[in-house]
Amino acid sequence: SPPALVRKSRAPHVSMPAAAEPSPAEVERLMSDPRVRELQYKLAHGGEKFKLEVTNEKPQEVRNIVVPEGASEEEQMAALQRAMEEEARNKQREADEEARRAAAAKAERIAQSDPWCYVLSGAGTAAANGTYMRDGTAVKNGARVYVNERGFLLSHEVVGGGEGWIVGVAPKAYYGFQTTDKLAPEEGWAVQEHGSSPAPRVAHVEPLMAVEAAKREGNAAFKKGDHAAAVQRYGEALETAAACSGAHGLSDELLAVLHGNRAEARLQLGEHAEAEGDADAALELDPCFVKAYVRRAKALHAQERWGAAEAALRDALEVSPGAREVFAQQEE
């Protein structure tokens, strides 16, 4: 909105520099502003001075424009016009900076992105909706190819000198989006010859997102006492991570936790040898993971391998001398 007029206490007279004569259209626009009318009224009836504040957020600046007593109508309008022009420039600078940050964030997101799957929803062609998984290792025009359970493909195509993402069953295109980006856009898709309105909304699921989701499901199943389901969900998370090795966010620490969690779930199921294997895998990824030492000790103890179990507990104490779970296990 245009700058506000703010009342100011009396001050010495400040002269204004000469201003360019405004056009009739500018005069009409300014005179229609209720704040200009208010200023005119106050000047006519109160003889007081006012200031016009223009605020700039990046960086924070305040410029005061003092309209003196006896200022002509032209001087008032010229001062306000200059302030409004300055405000417009400030807003444009802010918009440009916001656009620059958005472009940089998009570039970083695309650089880090290698979606595990896409989820399409809301398409008028019902068969085009659903989850699109990676079509093996297939890559087309620099981007992975994805397929849903009905055989619809999501791929990056180059057609007639242009390029972009297409949803369809070759050679029929149902929805499309023209872009050079290798990450399929969320919205703004166009309905193609064989598709029906409305166009879909597209959500991408990064490997880390898929792994974290399966981990949460495993944790929830474990808390409910469904240890078999927990083992399955942790396994799905590990399989996804293995298929996306090196993907952004899939750290050794996260994988160690997944193995450690599955080890505990397998202990609850009496799968002691498998639990030992998971504990060992966790320790290879994170040698400071105390709980993995304890779970390894539990698995070894259940297999009556007393010496190895005791050694696992000693290793845990070396990593964390005050770990209470280690002392509890020693007492057992």
Side-chain angles (χ1 to χ4, degrees), residues 26-287:
E26 290 172 329
V27 171
E28 182 178 356
R29 176 173 62 84
L30 289 170
M31 292 306 296
S32 66
D33 191 319
R35 287 164 297 181
V36 174
R37 293 197 296 270
E38 180 184 5
L39 175 61
Q40 288 178 311
Y41 178 85
K42 289 180 178 179
L43 286 171
H45 294 83
E48 296 184 339
K49 301 181 179 67
F50 303 89
K51 72 177 180 181
L52 186 65
E53 293 191 352
V54 181
T55 301
N56 219 353
E57 291 186 0
K58 302 179 181 70
Q60 186 79 9
E61 295 176 355
V62 176
R63 182 169 65 87
N64 295 335
I65 299 177
V66 179
V67 181
E69 287 186 27
S72 68
E73 183 177 296
E74 289 76 11
E75 289 175 321
Q76 297 169 29
M77 289 187 296
L80 182 59
Q81 183 179 18
R82 287 194 297 272
M84 293 177 69
E85 290 172 351
E86 177 67 18
E87 184 182 43
R89 288 192 291 270
N90 290 338
K91 287 184 176 180
Q92 185 59 53
R93 283 193 289 268
E94 291 176 9
D96 292 344
E97 176 61 19
E98 183 64 27
R100 185 197 66 76
R101 289 197 299 268
K106 179 182 177 182
E108 182 179 3
R109 185 172 66 253
I110 292 175
Q112 295 178 344
S113 179
D114 186 14
W116 172 243
C117 65
Y118 284 94
V119 179
L120 273 67
S121 60
T125 301
N129 293 317
T131 300
Y132 285 67
M133 301 301 300
R134 292 179 178 181
D135 187 13
T137 59
V139 174
K140 198 168 187 181
N141 300 309
R144 291 187 184 274
V145 178
Y146 298 82
V147 60
N148 76 358
E149 61 182 9
R150 302 176 187 87
F152 275 70
L153 295 175
L154 172 63
S155 58
H156 195 87
E157 304 288 344
V158 177
V159 181
E163 64 177 295
W165 287 89
I166 294 291
V167 175
V169 180
K172 298 179 180 179
Y174 287 70
Y175 305 99
F177 192 104
Q178 187 171 355
T179 179
T180 59
D181 292 345
K182 304 310 180 190
L183 177 65
E186 292 184 357
E187 51 191 13
W189 290 72
V191 179
Q192 302 299 302
E193 179 183 0
H194 299 280
S196 300
S197 294
R201 182 174 178 81
V202 179
H204 71 280
V205 179
E206 296 293 339
L208 178 60
M209 297 163 63
V211 169
E212 290 282 10
K215 176 175 174 283
R216 286 193 299 271
E217 292 174 0
N219 292 346
F222 187 92
K223 289 179 181 178
K224 292 179 180 178
D226 191 349
H227 301 117
V231 167
Q232 182 178 353
R233 294 297 177 268
Y234 294 138
E236 290 172 359
L238 287 164
E239 287 174 6
T240 300
C244 304
S245 179
H248 177 70
L250 296 183
S251 64
D252 287 348
E253 291 77 8
L254 173 59
L255 301 183
V257 169
L258 288 168
H259 278 291
N261 288 0
R262 190 168 66 174
E264 183 61 34
R266 282 174 160 169
L267 285 171
Q268 299 299 321
L269 293 171
E271 299 174 354
H272 302 120
E274 293 82 356
E276 178 191 352
D278 267 322
D280 287 343
L283 292 170
E284 287 182 11
L285 292 161
D286 183 2

